[in-house]
Amino acid sequence: MEGVAAFFQNMVNSFSDAVFQSLIKEDRYQYLLRGLGISLLLTLIAAVIGVVVGLLLAIAKLQDVNNLTGNRFTRGLRRWLTGFANGYISVVRGTPAVVQLMIIYFIVFGRLLKGIFPFSLMEDYQIAGVAFGLNSAAYVAEIIRAGIMAVDKGQTEAGRSLGMSGRATMFSIVIPQAVKNVLPALGNEFIVLLKETSVAGYIGIADLTKGAQSVGSITYDYIVPLICAAFIYFLMTTVLSTGIGALERRLHKSD
């Protein structure tokens, strides 16, 4: 029994020392706190871009290219937008997010837009947020498109019968109903987006995962910082899931 007690006591002492070395000594926990702030900021920027661009892509993809009204230029423009949306979604969904991140950072902003105002003023984390947002937009577009198609066509006909334009009907009647249908899927996409930002370290951004790696490179012990990073990610996704669930229940009270 004394040997078992000594074994567990040694484990506790070793773990306590590892925690002290990784988090407390020289305030190394600040690497994780700063990384957490960067990860949340990246997710917020990417989520806003993803929803806005995804909504536009969904609307473009919903155009009926075989039944378009307007003059020849308008019909051609709508067909081009639909083709662009289809191609964009196919390319983004067919390539890894980390490759897209490096292409946008090193090629688009590092070569093509280098020195051009206002792109030259963008910080690294802002470029990463744009990259993650453009990636998320492809998935959000499909989610929103499915939600719009799930709304009964009678809702659109009712809006048009009241004298509303097609655009007003879409944004005032159809999309608000579609949001209720796609909220769980959008919540899952935001959770995936939060975890996807962990690859931002590939371009040198000190996000939460990179912060944990920095601590490990100092102490030569990656166990405690990586476990702490994993726990923080788990905590954030749990809070996000709970909040989305509460919002979903509130929106469905009127059903």
Side-chain angles (χ1 to χ4, degrees):
M1 293 295 294
E2 292 181 359
V4 174
F7 172 75
F8 282 106
Q9 184 63 42
N10 289 333
M11 287 187 60
V12 171
N13 292 337
S14 299
F15 181 75
S16 300
D17 182 65
V19 171
F20 175 79
Q21 294 291 333
S22 299
L23 301 179
I24 300 175
K25 186 176 181 180
E26 298 179 358
D27 295 333
R28 289 170 184 157
Y29 68 90
Q30 293 186 5
Y31 285 94
L32 298 178
L33 288 181
R34 287 194 293 267
L36 172 60
I38 294 295
S39 294
L40 291 175
L41 187 58
L42 283 176
T43 304
L44 179 61
I45 295 173
V48 172
I49 294 175
V51 170
V52 174
V53 178
L55 176 60
L56 297 176
L57 290 172
I59 294 175
K61 195 170 180 179
L62 285 169
Q63 295 288 335
D64 185 1
V65 296
N66 296 319
N67 187 26
L68 295 176
T69 59
N71 55 42
R72 184 176 180 180
F73 173 79
T74 302
R75 293 196 301 270
L77 177 61
R78 290 181 179 178
R79 287 194 177 92
W80 183 87
L81 290 175
T82 301
F84 172 81
N86 288 325
Y88 179 91
I89 292 172
S90 297
V91 170
V92 171
R93 293 171 66 183
T95 53
V98 65
V99 176
Q100 297 169 21
L101 172 64
M102 290 190 289
I103 288 175
I104 291 176
Y105 182 79
F106 291 111
I107 298 178
V108 177
F109 283 90
R111 291 284 188 91
L112 302 180
L113 301 178
K114 186 177 181 180
I116 299 177
F117 182 83
F119 304 109
S120 59
L121 300 179
M122 293 182 66
E123 301 288 342
D124 289 349
Y125 74 89
Q126 295 172 332
I127 297 174
V130 171
F132 288 121
L134 294 178
N135 173 269
S136 178
Y139 300 92
V140 172
E142 291 295 278
I143 293 172
I144 294 177
R145 184 178 68 88
I148 292 175
M149 293 180 65
V151 177
D152 190 273
K153 291 184 179 180
Q155 300 293 318
T156 302
E157 295 173 355
R160 298 305 298 271
S161 66
L162 293 174
M164 300 177 65
S165 64
R167 181 180 302 177
T169 302
M170 175 65 70
F171 285 95
S172 299
I173 297 178
V174 177
I175 290 180
Q177 296 183 63
V179 168
K180 294 170 64 175
N181 297 332
V182 304
L183 189 59
L186 279 178
N188 290 333
E189 172 59 24
F190 293 151
I191 291 173
V192 171
L193 182 60
L194 174 61
K195 294 185 293 183
E196 269 188 353
T197 60
S198 61
V199 302
Y202 277 90
I203 59 173
I205 294 178
D207 67 317
L208 178 57
T209 303
K210 187 68 173 180
Q213 291 178 331
S214 298
V215 174
S217 66
I218 295 172
T219 63
Y220 299 101
D221 183 3
Y222 290 88
I223 296 176
V224 172
L226 288 179
I227 289 177
C228 288
F231 177 75
I232 293 172
Y233 276 116
F234 173 75
L235 184 62
M236 288 191 296
T237 56
T238 301
V239 171
L240 185 58
S241 299
T242 303
I244 292 173
L247 179 60
E248 182 183 357
R249 289 190 296 272
R250 183 168 184 176
L251 290 176
H252 281 286
K253 281 185 178 180
S254 59
D255 290 348

